[in-house]
Amino acid sequence: MQAVLQKYLPEHAVAPVFELIKNNQVHLKIVSERATRHGDYRKNPDGSHAITVNSNLNKYRFLITLIHEIAHLVAFKKYGRYIKPHGIEWKQTFRLLMLPFINPTIFPNEVLPLIAKHFKNPTASSDTDALLSIALKRFDGPNENYFINDLPLGCFFRIPSGRVFKKGHLRVKLFECMEVKTGKVYLFKPNAEVELLKIN
């Protein structure tokens, strides 16, 4: 298991994560990319604990996702199955489990302040924290997508569903973008990943 974890985690996170997996008797499965989630946790009918994490995540995102799912397991074991999935018990558990990993031997210096701020009150997905999401995605492998935040004003882009938009101005924390086909204006988070279109 440790040899497998070395492929997916920062070097200094491997041993402590392996201990968490072993101590909580986690059956970890690394799976193909799912568009709707980075990972999940479930308790099997036989009482065993299964966690899946997407194989395409960079090592920092993989670590956060795995600890996120282990926190579900630990919180349910400690507080019972009737707690809210991302309620206060889970938040406290996630924060405590992540604390030993929030240091410069594991995360790059440019990410550390954003990680520390996020874990004062962790959310159901780190993607909802636009600044942290953008910082973490910088460590992804090369792809054709751009952050809306990085696109020039007035350019055209396509979202995964195939709809095409024109980038507009930032309004507080969201970008107003017009759908080309309908003329309707939609709001986009700065960390939305889109395909830039070359339209003359």
Side-chain angles (χ1 to χ4, degrees), residues 11-47:
E11 180 185 355
H12 295 286
V14 173
V17 166
F18 178 69
E19 286 303 308
L20 277 175
I21 290 171
K22 190 170 68 174
N23 293 342
N24 290 287
Q25 300 176 318
V26 173
H27 175 69
L28 174 63
K29 189 175 180 183
I30 299 166
V31 299
S32 299
E33 178 183 4
R34 295 161 293 182
T36 56
R37 63 184 64 190
H38 295 311
D40 63 19
Y41 158 72
R42 71 179 182 280
K43 187 175 181 180
N44 294 321
D46 64 1

Side-chain angles (χ1 to χ4, degrees), residues 9-10 77 112 137 170:
L9 291 170
K77 276 174 36 176
L112 269 176
K137 283 178 180 173
L170 181 66

